[in-house]
Amino acid sequence: MNERLAEEEILKKEKIGYLKSKLNLLNGTLYLTPNRLILNAHKTGVSGLGILGIFLKRQVEKKNFGFNLEFSKIKEISQGKHGSQKNVLEVTTRQNEIFRIIVKRYEDWESDLNKRI
């Protein structure tokens, strides 16, 4: 995913929280390019334990989660909620998959995405 991203213009980039499930929040980065929306998220690793901790952290953070969606595959953008957090960007695909992402300003992402989908 990153090799292809390096070849594209990045219009917007933000550190986000990816709500993989109700209890599973992953750290990641959300990218907006002229053609697609990309989420690259990973589990945060184990700390401490010296050299073993460093190895375990790398193993845990090696696996990436997220998506790489061309705008034609996005059906809808909506605002969700997670507890008291209202800056939740919900991206629904044409296959009815829903990705929930905590962003800094929902309105900015909604505006930028609705211009493209």
Side-chain angles (χ1 to χ4, degrees):
M1 182 169 7
N2 289 337
E3 292 171 10
R4 209 170 140 203
L5 183 59
E7 297 170 6
E8 289 186 57
E9 177 186 5
I10 297 172
L11 303 175
K12 188 173 192 161
K13 174 183 173 182
E14 183 177 312
K15 296 287 183 192
I16 53 85
Y18 169 44
L19 294 162
K20 190 167 183 304
S21 67
K22 286 185 179 185
L23 300 174
N24 195 357
L25 175 69
L26 305 178
N27 292 321
T29 307
L30 188 62
Y31 300 91
L32 179 68
T33 74
N35 302 310
R36 57 202 172 110
L37 182 65
I38 301 163
L39 171 69
N40 188 359
H42 57 84
K43 291 182 179 179
T44 52
V46 182
S47 62
L49 304 176
I51 291 177
L52 178 60
I54 292 169
F55 174 75
L56 290 173
K57 180 178 169 93
R58 284 187 187 147
Q59 291 302 107
V60 167
E61 292 182 354
K62 193 186 310 185
K63 186 169 182 182
N64 285 324
F65 299 88
F67 57 76
N68 182 344
L69 290 173
E70 293 182 15
F71 296 128
S72 62
K73 295 183 178 173
I74 298 174
K75 178 168 84 173
E76 180 182 31
I77 300 298
S78 59
Q79 184 171 15
K81 228 177 126 182
H82 184 72
S84 63
Q85 177 62 262
K86 293 181 181 167
N87 282 320
V88 177
L89 175 69
E90 291 188 351
V91 178
T92 305
T93 68
R94 300 217 177 266
Q95 287 74 39
N96 290 319
E97 281 183 283
I98 298 175
F99 297 99
R100 301 180 73 229
I101 306 150
I102 297 174
V103 294
K104 288 182 181 88
R105 292 182 43 110
Y106 168 79
E107 295 81 12
D108 293 348
W109 282 97
E110 177 188 47
S111 173
D112 289 343
L113 287 166
N114 280 332
K115 291 174 188 173
R116 292 168 171 79
I117 61 170

